[in-house]
């Protein structure tokens, strides 16, 4: 592994352990086992390195969660049962890797302070909406209509964000897939 890769791996480790604001350039260099000057040479600044590491973490999280979001194709399973199972599997992944989810919250916070990050965040949100709509409608992401991504995809992303934040904030009383489905059914009665 070269210095660049070692720095990226070190930055990811530090982000997950300490968060963005508490990670120093020295922390990253020490974790990576390379000189402090290598950060400037390969990435220009601590911030640029941390942003690249943060995006790499989010890509890993996307790959991990994407595998559990595809509804299982079991004979006799209703769409509601598949949706509930999808939620249970997603929440299990969050319990197993909570710091990966927290990295996405950290990106949102950093984008508020660093306007040049906002286009990347916005692009990621649009991709997430489209991906969620594609998964839920069993449509290839490239074929998802803009309106479906904007409505169904937006709602699913909002649900995921909110449910996961509640789970992380109150781990003693975590929501379940059944809770999400029951809540959506109750909401459906209100908005009919």
């Amino acid at each position: 592994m070269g210095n660049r890769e070692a720095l990226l791996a070190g930055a990811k480790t530090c982000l997950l352990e300490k968060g963005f604001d508490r990670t120093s350039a020295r922390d990253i260099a020490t974790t990576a086992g390379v000189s402090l000057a290598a950060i400037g040479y390969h990435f220009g600044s601590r911030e640029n390195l941390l942003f690249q590491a943060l995006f790499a973490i989010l890509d890993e999280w996307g790959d991990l969660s994407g595998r559990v979001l595809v509804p299982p194709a079991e004979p006799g399973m209703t769409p509601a049962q598949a949706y509930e199972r999808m939620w249970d599997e997603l929440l299990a992944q969050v319990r197993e890797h909570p710091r990966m989810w927290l990295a996405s919250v950290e990106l949102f916070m950093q984008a508020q302070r660093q306007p040049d990050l906002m286009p990347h965040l916005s692009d990621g949100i649009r991709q997430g909406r489209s991906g969620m709509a594609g998964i839920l409608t069993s449509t290839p992401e490239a074929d998802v209509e803009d309106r479906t991504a904007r409505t169904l995809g937006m709602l699913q992303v909002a649900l995921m964000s909110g449910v996961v934040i509640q789970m992380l904030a109150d781990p003693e009383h975590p929501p379940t897939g059944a809770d999400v489905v029951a809540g959506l059914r109750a909401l459906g009665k209100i908005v009919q």
Side-chain angles (χ1 to χ4, degrees):
M1 177 185 307
N3 283 354
R4 181 177 175 77
E5 295 81 16
L7 284 168
L8 197 55
K12 286 166 40 179
T13 298
C14 290
L15 276 171
L16 292 173
E17 290 177 1
K18 295 181 165 201
F20 193 98
D21 290 330
R22 291 182 35 221
T23 295
S24 70
R26 186 168 309 285
D27 292 333
I28 298 167
T30 300
T31 301
V34 302
S35 74
L36 197 55
I39 294 173
Y41 177 78
H42 289 288
F43 295 94
S45 69
R46 165 197 164 272
E47 289 76 16
N48 286 340
L49 170 54
L50 286 174
F51 292 144
Q52 286 191 32
L54 198 47
F55 287 121
I57 289 169
L58 293 178
D59 282 345
E60 290 172 19
W61 170 247
D63 292 344
L64 198 68
S65 62
R67 287 191 289 275
V68 302
L69 291 176
V70 176
E74 284 189 29
M77 183 174 273
T78 68
Q81 290 169 327
Y83 188 72
E84 183 177 320
R85 177 177 290 171
M86 177 198 73
W87 271 99
D88 285 334
E89 291 178 9
L90 172 68
L91 295 171
Q93 284 296 322
V94 173
R95 273 190 297 280
E96 198 171 321
H97 307 283
R99 292 181 181 189
M100 290 181 103
W101 181 265
L102 291 171
S104 70
V105 175
E106 187 127 40
L107 176 59
F108 174 78
M109 296 304 296
Q110 289 303 319
Q112 304 310 303
R113 297 181 196 125
Q114 311 250 353
D116 54 321
L117 274 181
M118 194 57 80
H120 300 288
L121 178 61
S122 296
D123 185 51
I125 292 291
R126 283 190 298 276
Q127 288 178 25
R129 288 177 187 154
S130 196
M132 286 296 104
I135 288 168
L136 293 173
T137 61
S138 299
T139 304
E141 187 175 343
D143 297 335
V144 172
E145 294 179 10
D146 289 341
R147 181 77 179 144
T148 303
R150 181 104 180 122
T151 56
L152 180 62
M154 173 273 303
L155 184 60
Q156 180 65 15
V157 169
L159 279 172
M160 285 175 54
S161 300
V163 168
V164 170
I165 286 172
Q166 290 180 55
M167 180 182 154
L168 293 173
D170 187 10
E172 297 299 315
H173 305 95
T176 65
D179 294 333
V180 173
V181 170
L184 285 171
R185 286 186 175 129
L187 184 60
K189 290 177 184 175
I190 293 169
V191 298
Q192 283 184 6

